[in-house]
Amino acid sequence: MSLTMPDAHRLLVPVRLDVERWTTRHTRRKVLAVVHTVTAGQRLLEAVRLLEGDTRVQVFFTQAPDVFSHGVDHFLQRLGGLVLPWHQAVQTPFDLALAAAHGGLPELHAPVIVLPHGAGHNKLVSAGQRGRQVAARGTYGLDRQWLIQDGRLVPESIVLAHHEDLTRLGRDCPEALPAAEVVGDPCFDRITASLPQRALYRDALGVGPRQHLVTACSTWGPRSLLGRQWELLERLVDELPREDFRVALLLHPHVWNAHGEWQIRSWLARLSHAGLLVISQHADWVGALVAADHIVGDHGSVSLYGAMTGAPVLMGDVPEDDLDPGSPAAELVSFAPRLHSGRPLVRQFARAAAAYRAERYEKVAARITSEPGRFAVRMRALIYRKLRLRAPAVRPSTDHAPLPLTARHDERGTT
């Protein structure tokens, strides 16, 4: 499709035909980061940052259509990236595109690398679309309904965290195996780098040396911890003695963006005044997870990452039928203790701590990635191979997470 003259005049400088007249620095490659949701955008930053310092490469961002796209515009604005409207992004050729979701990718004029946007591939999801019969549920990101369009494999490269995922991909979509690349998991590596900073994260959250921090993690949707067990969150705040416990809440970005930040703050206002630490959606979540003495979770990725921290993970009412039975998340759910509504919480946390067996959690954590500490090196090598450029000589590293920031502090504009 050709651009009309008014559209052509509105093109950003680096994609204009007369680009060399306007740019300060001529680049050799154009990379498009395709941001479907805030969650996907956060994961993409782990890959895009590997291009830092390379003046041969110009990175663009675009907001792809998605049911959870609310909040992406604000995310990109805070990022300060060069943003192309979706209708221009799909008309413009790029040397490479990076995505962490699947919608709209066949429309792009670029080879596409698709990353998982969570801890591997755990959830069973159907890919039904309006006007079409809903397909049977498959493992998101591994099933052919996400990868094949009109008989063609859409991604040129499918990033996996673990060699175990190759077996699962071969089961669900064998024609995609040649495109698979086992690269590792950036969040696993960042949590590992952050564990020695645990005392700093606890201090930033105002947790005393003799207090226990309970970090509650909720994914999105009606079957999540927050969707099914709001009363459990209330019990954590109201029942646990403040002198001995602090409670922090980590919400999936989809929760914030489906309901709106004002509404979430409003719903949580009483609990916040009673001492609940609500971690800002604009802050890094890793510190609040690493700082925890007890993790209360569901079937989301953050609960699975909790298996790395050395804290017992206790489950609410988890919908086990939403999980791939062969996934590490399903294994965690199979042995993690359940929180019961009719029993005192303090006793349940004490029992969970006494029954904690590090080897069981370590086994689950080892299934998150088979390339621990190597995501940055392997992901950068893949990107530069696809760009047909020699990678910079400096070896990339993984930094520990910044200090956690609560929503109340974020609202006041402090950092």
Side-chain angles (χ1 to χ4, degrees), residues 16-35:
R16 293 172 61 99
L17 294 177
D18 56 349
V19 56
E20 287 163 357
R21 176 183 175 188
W22 306 100
T23 54
T24 301
R25 177 81 184 179
H26 176 64
T27 56
R28 294 172 55 187
R29 300 288 189 271
K30 298 195 298 290
V31 174
L32 180 68
V34 183
V35 183

Side-chain angles (χ1 to χ4, degrees), residues 229-240 267 270-271 345:
Q229 292 184 284
W230 182 274
E231 70 283 355
L232 175 56
L233 180 62
E234 293 179 327
R235 284 188 65 204
L236 289 171
V237 176
D238 296 337
E239 185 179 323
L240 297 176
W267 282 340
R270 182 191 73 80
L271 298 179
L345 289 175

Side-chain angles (χ1 to χ4, degrees), residues 327-351:
S327 68
E331 182 178 356
L332 175 63
V333 168
S334 73
F335 68 80
R338 297 293 198 276
L339 279 174
H340 298 281
S341 59
R343 303 175 189 173
L345 289 175
V346 174
R347 292 183 185 176
Q348 293 188 69
F349 286 130
R351 285 199 188 100

Side-chain angles (χ1 to χ4, degrees), residues 68 218-228 252 254-255 259 299:
F68 283 112
S218 179
T219 189
W220 63 275
R223 308 187 76 179
S224 66
L225 181 71
L226 207 65
R228 302 179 81 166
H252 193 289
H254 287 1
V255 180
H259 296 283
H299 57 307

Side-chain angles (χ1 to χ4, degrees), residues 1 20 95 119 163 174 177 185 210 298 350 397:
M1 182 184 298
E20 287 163 357
D95 298 291
H163 287 288
L177 276 175
D185 185 296
R210 297 185 179 180
D298 56 17
S397 61

